Amino acid sequence: MNQIKTMFAQHPLFQDFSEEELEFLATCASAEQLDAGRILFQEAQEARHFYLIREGDIALELRHPKRGVITIQTLHAGDALGWSWLFPPYSWHFDARAMSHVHLLAFDAEKVRERLEQDNSLGYRLMKRFASLMLERLQATRLQVLDLYGTPS
Amino acid sequence: MEPLHSTSQVPMLPMQPEPYRIERVHKDTGDTFTLELKPAAGNAGFAFKPGQFNMLYVFGVGEIPISISGDPEDTASLIHTTREVGTVTRAMRALKQADVLGIRGPFGSSWPVLEAKDQDIVLVAGGIGLAPLRPALYHVMNHRSDYGKVVLLYGARTPEDILYKKELAQWRSKFDLDVFVTVDRATGNWQGNVGFVTQLIKRAPFEARNTTAMICGPEVMMRFTAQELIKRGVAKEQVFVSMERNMKCGIGLCGHCQYGPHFICKDGPVFSYAEIAWLLNLWEV
Amino acid sequence: MQGYRLEPSGLEQVFEKLKSQSYEIIGPKLKDDAIVYDRLTRVKDLPIGLTDEQGPGYYRLKKRNDDAYFGYVLGPQSVKHYLHPPVFSLWQAKRTEDGFAIPKERESAPRYAFIGVRACELNAILIQDKVFLDSDYQDPVYLERRKNAFILAVNCTQAAPTCFCSSLGTGPKVEAGFDLLLTELINETEHYFVLETGSEKGQVFVKDVNLPAASEAELEAAQNRVKATEEQISKKLPTEGIKDLLYASYEHPHWDEIAERCLSCGNCTMVCPTCFCTTVDDVTSLTGDTAERVRRWDSCFTSDFSYIHGGSVRPSSKSRYRQWMTHKLASWQDQFGSLGCVGCGRCISWCPVGIDITAELEVFRQERGQSESN
């Protein structure tokens, strides 16, 4: 248990969390590995976990009837992955595929949610961290879709 | 008494282009090409500082500013990478080996490669912005032991738009240079990073407090990149950007490239972010 | 003060001497219902007995009650037309086996003698000197013309309601930068000039014209005349804190209000004696064997001016007016160490909708003052 805790205790997502809170999160976490090319989750599946990437790269993908598989974004060591677990109907919006051999920490979404519902202080703090993460990713995505390097017409 | 009409000895230089012959044309991407040039007459080398630009003239068509993208220590030939975006660049793209172009330059300020000695170097390029940064990277790699960590972060539109692919592969294989490439839109079987170039900053290996960063790309990209670097701890005086504006003369006389109090052609194109941050956030300056 | 008395008839002698020194005489002349700088051959070419009435968007000529030679205030043009020509062929190139060649030899610059240059215009020349000559690269076109120039300045003996040189310290009294200076004195009984020298070139020039020294009374009359002119000037452009004021006003809504009136015609930039911007046209002969680069005045009020691939950096007329005014009064100080305005008021007279730079500045100043006191 303690070993798992050390894997995420320093992550900015959980910065300044109490020892008790970290220990609780450790009970929700499990270490996982995924070979390159394997699917971590698929669109429309139930979002049972959120992840911290410890090593390796993950691609968020979308299957397009004409263009095939499109990579929307890639995530890397240190990144948190997944926020569909936070909101009903708790289902993934994209596919996630390992681009290389990946080491992950998977957190049990249901268990974490239950605690957050009861412990609003922890709920607020974790939600704030996720919100700031989402904002950062949204801003980068906005720049990405602006097509800034395109040839002006 | 002086005669009314004699000939003048005051030279029109540097207003007159010098003829340069195209030694080689290389097509980089769908709309980008690189010209290798040598003086049409004589063997004079072309000395410049990384980040400087030339005015390139296509006979009878027009003249535009283009940054120099070759190795500053290889003065034998002059290298320009250009994207076809207007009348002059369109005409330029139609030129072939042995055709002649006019050159005036080099003009403008340069990347602070000498001042950045002993520091970590972070180069952030967006799109065609890699071309003006390449001379800085050449310099740093030529004098590798003068610097700490060296990182190149490069964002392109799609995998097809990635410039200098062969060279990037060589750079990637070096142990003393970290190269990260990302694309906005993945196409084909691209297996690399997807996301805006700012996303590369947080995981790039450099020590922010001892870093000089040089950014070149579209203005919006440079603004957000500078902010991201500063967020990571790089001093804003140590962040440099290269600006672009309309230019007719290149020597501070035509007035076109004014940017607040600055003339991009002579005070720039390279500025410290600290110097121009106040202008970058104003509309239509 | 030291000076000479010059009779109106003596001015012809000055003209002749300038011609004998192979100067082309450029001075005020009636043309197209305005007084413009043009080639003069004799004193009779001057706008004798004419004066001008000016106001925002207003310029009319009127007959005077006397035969004063310099009895007008300012025409639309300044000597900028000659020192920094509106259109100039920078070079011609011929196709050759080595691509192209540009002949190194060019026709030498003309030698201009400018007659009737006013204090504000002289200060504009001094400002353009900094722009074109105090730079890493000098403008060879300006340099040659400037070096060759002979300047016969004239003190203003009347002011227009559009004048505001006195608040900028650029007039109405001519202080420096001239070779010869005239103050015209005319009343029912007398018509003469007090002539002063301002350079070695000017001293040498008057030496062999053999003029009588002006009397104390005549010198005093000349001084009083200029003082009286200064008293006529009512318009002001207070310069204190002007740079910070404008730099702080980039996002001010008043630019929108100005833009509702501004036509983006660029008249203000054309008549301004300090505006220096140019563009180039690269043209070829029909056969394509020769090419030429023609430089011409440009205006920051056109959308092409700031065009880079993809569009104009300043698409709105508010950003263009803001660029112009901020340049004149703020960024010019950072670039060249002075204002880019000499208070001649031409931009006010020749603006088709009568936009008055001093009035617009006052709006920014007032609102700034209010927001500071709140």
Side-chain angles (χ1 to χ4, degrees):
Chain A
M1 191 67 71
N2 245 344
Q3 201 193 341
I4 283 225
K5 200 177 80 184
T6 58
M7 290 180 191
F8 67 84
Q10 301 302 319
H11 196 280
L13 200 58
F14 310 119
Q15 216 180 352
D16 301 329
F17 279 30
S18 74
E19 205 49 34
E20 187 277 323
E21 287 161 345
L22 292 173
E23 264 159 32
F24 160 73
L25 286 164
T27 66
C28 306
S30 57
E32 288 181 13
Q33 291 191 34
L34 208 62
D35 283 334
R38 299 299 294 269
I39 299 288
L40 179 62
F41 55 73
Q42 278 187 308
E43 184 181 336
Q45 277 180 349
E46 192 185 341
R48 291 206 189 98
H49 298 91
F50 69 90
Y51 304 92
L52 290 186
I53 305 172
R54 297 179 52 228
E55 253 183 79
D57 312 292
I58 284 191
L60 294 182
E61 298 176 342
L62 178 75
R63 273 160 294 163
H64 186 281
K66 281 187 188 143
R67 288 164 54 192
V69 176
I70 303 166
T71 304
I72 308 290
Q73 194 170 39
T74 53
L75 298 172
H76 312 274
D79 284 335
L81 163 60
W83 41 67
S84 295
W85 67 280
L86 276 165
F87 312 100
Y90 309 119
S91 62
W92 296 115
H93 287 73
F94 299 105
D95 297 354
R97 191 177 51 80
M99 300 166 75
S100 54
H101 189 78
V102 173
H103 290 257
L104 297 156
L105 271 186
F107 291 84
D108 182 329
E110 206 177 334
K111 205 167 161 189
V112 175
R113 266 200 319 261
E114 259 172 34
R115 167 82 189 254
L116 300 189
E117 287 299 333
Q118 283 159 20
D119 182 350
N120 284 177
S121 157
L122 177 63
Y124 175 70
R125 275 178 287 135
L126 192 63
M127 195 56 115
K128 217 160 83 173
R129 294 282 160 78
F130 264 95
S132 122
L133 209 80
M134 287 156 87
L135 177 68
E136 187 199 304
R137 212 149 312 151
L138 172 65
Q139 283 169 342
T141 305
R142 281 174 177 160
L143 295 171
Q144 190 182 341
V145 298
L146 271 177
D147 195 17
L148 287 172
Y149 317 128
T151 311
S153 47
Chain B
M1 191 174 119
E2 291 176 47
L4 255 182
H5 297 286
S6 60
T7 53
S8 168
Q9 293 311 309
V10 178
M12 288 303 279
L13 297 168
M15 292 188 173
Q16 291 178 356
E18 291 292 325
Y20 273 66
R21 195 175 298 285
I22 298 174
E23 295 278 303
R24 221 162 67 90
V25 183
H26 180 259
K27 190 169 157 12
D28 296 292
T29 71
D31 57 3
T32 317
F33 55 100
T34 297
L35 302 176
E36 201 179 312
L37 301 154
K38 283 211 161 88
N43 283 313
F46 193 94
F48 70 99
K49 292 187 200 134
Q52 288 194 299
F53 67 94
N54 278 326
M55 298 298 290
L56 270 68
Y57 168 65
V58 179
F59 190 84
V61 178
E63 192 183 50
I64 45 160
I66 298 177
S67 67
I68 305 166
S69 46
D71 184 342
E73 271 155 59
D74 173 13
T75 53
S77 56
L78 172 64
I79 312 279
H80 281 286
T81 298
T82 310
R83 184 156 67 156
E84 183 186 335
V85 284
T87 322
V88 180
T89 44
R90 205 153 30 244
M92 212 174 276
R93 199 184 173 193
L95 298 175
K96 291 179 286 294
Q97 191 181 10
D99 284 346
V100 170
L101 268 177
I103 298 284
R104 292 194 294 130
F107 300 127
S109 64
S110 55
W111 298 112
V113 286
L114 300 177
E115 295 81 349
K117 249 182 157 184
D118 299 324
Q119 299 225 309
D120 287 359
I121 303 292
V122 178
L123 307 176
V124 191
I128 184 89
L130 183 57
L133 272 174
R134 191 168 68 163
L137 185 60
Y138 282 136
H139 176 95
V140 169
M141 296 313 283
N142 290 345
H143 305 269
R144 185 62 189 86
S145 59
D146 287 351
Y147 301 94
K149 296 193 179 83
V150 182
V151 180
L152 170 65
L153 310 178
Y154 174 36
R157 185 177 185 232
T158 71
E160 292 77 43
D161 292 304
I162 293 174
L163 269 183
Y164 308 141
K165 282 201 185 77
K166 260 192 198 158
E167 225 171 353
L168 274 171
Q170 286 166 16
W171 288 335
R172 264 175 201 281
S173 66
K174 285 182 191 286
F175 292 112
D176 54 0
L177 169 64
D178 283 296
V179 178
F180 294 84
V181 180
T182 186
V183 296
D184 283 349
R185 225 149 48 80
T187 52
N189 47 11
W190 172 251
Q191 289 300 311
N193 298 318
V194 181
F196 198 64
V197 68
T198 48
Q199 294 284 84
L200 299 174
I201 292 168
K202 62 173 186 281
R203 62 194 174 100
F206 61 90
E207 209 199 307
R209 269 166 231 296
N210 188 39
T211 288
T212 294
M214 307 173 204
I215 315 172
C216 190
E219 231 165 276
V220 178
M221 171 264 174
M222 293 198 289
R223 222 163 64 208
F224 281 93
T225 303
Q227 283 162 16
E228 202 64 34
L229 287 162
I230 291 163
K231 217 197 294 177
R232 190 164 151 180
V234 184
K236 60 180 188 298
E237 293 77 15
Q238 292 307 112
V239 175
F240 294 83
V241 296
S242 178
M243 296 299 295
E244 187 182 11
R245 280 292 181 272
N246 185 305
M247 283 182 200
K248 296 295 179 196
C249 74
I251 53 176
L253 299 176
C254 79
H256 278 257
C257 67
Q258 283 179 78
Y259 187 53
H262 309 294
F263 288 94
I264 301 284
C265 71
K266 61 173 187 180
D267 306 326
V270 176
F271 293 94
S272 88
Y273 179 74
E275 204 177 351
I276 60 162
W278 69 286
L279 290 163
L280 280 168
N281 295 314
L282 297 172
W283 50 266
E284 297 180 20
V285 177
Chain C
M1 182 176 146
Q2 217 196 335
Y4 304 90
R5 182 184 163 115
L6 179 74
E7 302 302 325
S9 58
L11 197 55
E12 199 72 63
Q13 220 185 319
V14 172
F15 272 41
E16 288 310 315
K17 191 166 163 62
L18 287 169
K19 280 190 249 176
S20 76
Q21 295 183 356
S22 74
Y23 281 111
E24 237 176 288
I25 300 175
I26 304 293
K29 192 177 183 179
L30 173 65
K31 201 175 183 181
D32 302 331
D33 292 326
I35 293 169
V36 300
Y37 280 105
D38 203 348
R39 280 173 183 78
L40 306 183
T41 51
R42 52 205 178 117
V43 172
K44 277 251 158 63
D45 292 339
L46 292 169
I48 297 169
L50 283 177
T51 192
D52 48 19
E53 284 184 335
Q54 302 195 42
Y58 185 88
Y59 175 95
R60 296 286 184 280
L61 288 183
K62 223 175 65 168
K63 272 213 172 343
R64 291 175 61 98
N65 299 323
D66 57 29
D67 286 334
Y69 287 10
F70 300 100
Y72 63 95
V73 179
L74 280 175
Q77 292 179 347
S78 63
V79 291
K80 178 176 95 171
H81 277 250
Y82 296 89
L83 292 175
H84 178 49
V87 181
F88 189 83
S89 173
L90 290 178
W91 47 257
Q92 298 88 39
K94 274 195 174 66
R95 257 192 213 286
T96 63
E97 280 187 3
D98 271 344
F100 62 88
I102 298 172
K104 299 281 181 224
E105 289 201 326
R106 293 175 302 113
E107 207 171 77
S108 73
R111 284 163 54 84
Y112 291 129
F114 297 109
I115 308 290
V117 180
R118 306 307 174 103
C120 56
E121 299 184 292
L122 259 177
N123 279 287
I125 295 172
L126 299 179
I127 287 173
Q128 288 212 324
D129 284 353
K130 286 187 215 154
V131 174
F132 291 126
L133 307 178
D134 277 4
S135 179
D136 294 347
Y137 296 100
Q138 295 189 318
D139 179 359
V141 183
Y142 184 87
L143 174 67
E144 285 182 297
R145 281 158 180 71
R146 180 74 173 99
K147 268 201 327 207
N148 289 350
F150 187 96
I151 296 175
L152 189 152
V154 166
N155 270 323
C156 285
T157 48
Q158 67 187 82
T162 46
C163 294
F164 56 99
C165 58
S166 53
S167 61
L168 302 182
T170 51
K173 184 169 170 32
V174 171
E175 306 275 7
F178 60 92
D179 297 306
L180 296 179
L181 168 62
L182 296 179
T183 309
E184 185 170 28
L185 292 142
I186 188 163
N187 55 38
E188 290 84 27
T189 54
E190 271 192 308
H191 184 198
Y192 65 96
F193 300 97
V194 168
L195 185 148
E196 296 163 65
T197 57
S199 71
E200 213 188 306
K201 222 194 293 188
Q203 282 161 8
V204 172
F205 188 92
V206 288
K207 225 184 219 165
D208 35 66
V209 183
N210 210 5
L211 294 169
S215 68
E216 282 297 321
E218 285 161 351
L219 291 173
E220 203 184 318
Q223 271 177 329
N224 288 341
R225 195 59 248 148
V226 185
K227 260 188 214 135
T229 305
E230 184 156 2
E231 277 156 23
Q232 284 174 22
I233 297 173
S234 56
K235 200 176 273 303
K236 283 188 171 54
L237 189 131
T239 56
E240 202 199 321
I242 198 169
K243 188 173 98 174
D244 294 338
L245 172 68
L246 283 164
Y247 279 169
S249 303
Y250 265 97
E251 310 274 10
H252 199 287
H254 186 60
W255 299 115
D256 289 295
E257 202 281 314
I258 300 172
E260 278 174 28
R261 288 173 282 143
C262 175
L263 308 175
S264 267
C265 69
N267 266 16
C268 49
T269 56
M270 297 294 111
V271 297
C272 177
T274 67
C275 270
F276 59 87
C277 291
T278 53
T279 186
V280 290
D281 292 324
D282 282 299
V283 291
T284 41
S285 61
L286 279 176
T287 58
D289 289 335
T290 58
E292 185 182 10
R293 177 163 300 161
V294 180
R295 181 171 84 174
R296 51 182 177 79
W297 287 358
D298 202 1
S299 170
C300 51
F301 281 91
T302 70
S303 68
D304 263 6
F305 188 86
S306 61
Y307 182 90
I308 42 176
H309 53 84
S312 172
V313 171
R314 299 185 202 106
S316 68
S317 64
K318 69 172 169 177
S319 65
R320 293 182 212 155
Y321 189 87
R322 181 183 69 176
Q323 164 61 26
W324 179 72
M325 181 163 158
T326 306
H327 187 212
K328 289 284 136 185
L329 304 178
S331 46
W332 203 295
Q333 295 189 54
D334 281 330
Q335 295 168 350
F336 305 111
S338 73
L339 292 183
C341 176
V342 293
C344 70
R346 286 186 177 93
C347 57
I348 303 170
S349 299
W350 295 93
C351 174
V353 296
I355 295 175
D356 177 341
I357 189 171
T358 65
E360 304 309 336
L361 180 72
E362 196 48 31
V363 174
F364 292 110
R365 208 181 272 287
Q366 289 295 331
E367 297 198 4
R368 187 83 190 288
Q370 272 172 20
S371 70
E372 272 171 5
S373 59
N374 278 347

